[in-house]
């Protein structure tokens, strides 16, 4: 069986994958990721599988840059979750200091000198409005030990810093939006 993905009208995305005719789960495609940033001038994408055509409309989010977060789900498969709304970054710095006897501050010498300076970046990002059935996906993201962001064709290792999640429902919250915190899984100054 073949899965075909084509973007229209310019066909900037055009590829096919053979998923085989096996019923073994290790030989079947479970997730297929299509990078829509490759569809430069196209307005929609058609995915054809087993005689069924699914159409995805491409809409630009002009205000915020989407962030793709990949994580290992409960079945061990890599899954992607795209966050579409506001993201805020921060930097936490740790250091130690000692009092110097090198000279006087009047002559430009530091009386207190910092050493062992280290920084660690983190960010919080909002999902944008999602359906209630995504609650399980957010749960699996928070429970995952392996998380990455995909930036400039590179996977950047992350740790989820959010420790709790309050599940939202359409009945109680109307529009469901989650804010999740992430820490980069490395220091700004690599001293290893």
């Amino acid at each position: 069986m073949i899965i075909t993905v084509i973007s229209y009208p310019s066909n900037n995305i055009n590829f096919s994958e053979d998923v085989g005719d096996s019923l073994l789960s290790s030989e079947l495609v479970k997730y297929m990721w299509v990078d829509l940033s490759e569809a430069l001038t196209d307005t929609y994408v058609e995915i054809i599988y087993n005689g069924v055509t699914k159409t995805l409309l491409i809409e630009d989010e002009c205000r915020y840059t989407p962030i793709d977060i990949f994580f290992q789900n409960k079945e061990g498969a890599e899954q992607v979750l795209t966050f579409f709304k506001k993201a805020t970054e921060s930097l936490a710095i740790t250091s130690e200091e000692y009092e110097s006897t090198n000279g006087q501050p009047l002559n430009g010498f530091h009386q207190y000198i910092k050493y062992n300076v280290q920084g660690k970046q983190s960010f919080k990002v909002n999902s944008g409005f999602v359906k209630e059935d995504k609650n399980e996906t957010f749960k699996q993201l928070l429970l995952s030990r392996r998380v990455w962001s995909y930036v400039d064709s590179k996977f950047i290792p992350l740790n989820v810093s959010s420790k709790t999640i309050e599940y939202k429902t359409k009945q109680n919250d109307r529009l469901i939006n989650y804010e999740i915190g992430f820490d980069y899984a490395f220091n700004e100054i690599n001293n290893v």
Side-chain angles (χ1 to χ4, degrees):
M1 292 190 175
I2 304 276
I3 296 177
T4 304
V5 179
I6 303 172
S7 62
Y8 293 96
S10 301
N11 300 100
N12 290 323
I13 299 173
N14 189 351
F15 67 90
S16 296
E17 290 285 328
D18 185 8
V19 295
D21 293 328
S22 173
L23 295 177
L24 297 174
S25 62
S26 61
E27 296 175 12
L28 293 175
V29 172
K30 294 196 170 69
Y31 297 104
M32 177 176 272
W33 184 53
V34 179
D35 188 358
L36 293 180
S37 66
E38 296 174 6
L40 303 173
T41 58
D42 293 331
T43 57
Y44 67 98
V45 175
E46 284 189 350
I47 301 171
I48 304 165
Y49 175 67
N50 204 17
V52 177
T53 302
K54 296 286 183 178
T55 303
L56 304 175
L57 299 177
I58 301 172
E59 292 187 28
D60 284 336
E61 172 67 56
C62 298
R63 194 166 196 187
Y64 302 104
T65 302
I67 298 173
D68 293 320
I69 302 292
F70 287 78
F71 64 97
Q72 190 175 24
N73 65 18
K74 68 181 180 181
E75 292 154 359
E78 197 173 275
Q79 188 170 348
V80 66
L81 189 56
T82 303
F83 290 78
F84 290 100
K85 295 296 179 184
K86 179 182 171 187
T88 55
E89 292 195 34
S90 61
L91 175 67
I93 297 171
T94 59
S95 67
E96 299 177 49
E97 67 179 21
Y98 67 92
E99 189 172 358
S100 173
T101 59
N102 287 342
Q104 293 296 316
L106 179 65
N107 297 327
F109 290 97
H110 289 80
Q111 185 174 358
Y112 294 97
I113 298 177
K114 291 170 82 174
Y115 69 97
N116 199 16
V117 178
Q118 194 52 262
K120 194 166 183 187
Q121 282 193 314
S122 62
F123 65 95
K124 288 184 179 180
V125 66
N126 287 276
S127 65
F129 301 124
V130 295
K131 293 184 178 179
E132 194 173 331
D133 62 0
K134 286 284 189 184
N135 284 345
E136 177 63 25
T137 305
F138 283 96
K139 172 184 171 183
Q140 289 184 38
L141 170 64
L142 263 65
L143 292 172
S144 181
R145 293 184 299 149
R146 300 183 49 91
V147 181
W148 306 267
S149 65
Y150 188 73
V151 180
D152 297 329
S153 301
K154 294 179 192 165
F155 286 98
I156 309 297
L158 302 173
N159 290 321
V160 179
S161 61
S162 295
K163 302 295 182 200
T164 61
I165 188 168
E166 182 178 328
Y167 296 119
K168 298 182 179 184
T169 62
K170 186 177 179 181
Q171 181 178 3
N172 294 335
D173 302 295
R174 298 186 81 121
L175 299 174
I176 299 172
N177 174 56
Y178 288 108
E179 181 179 73
I180 306 292
F182 297 95
D183 293 329
Y184 288 98
F186 52 87
N187 289 326
E188 281 299 300
I189 301 172
N190 194 351
N191 55 8
V192 176

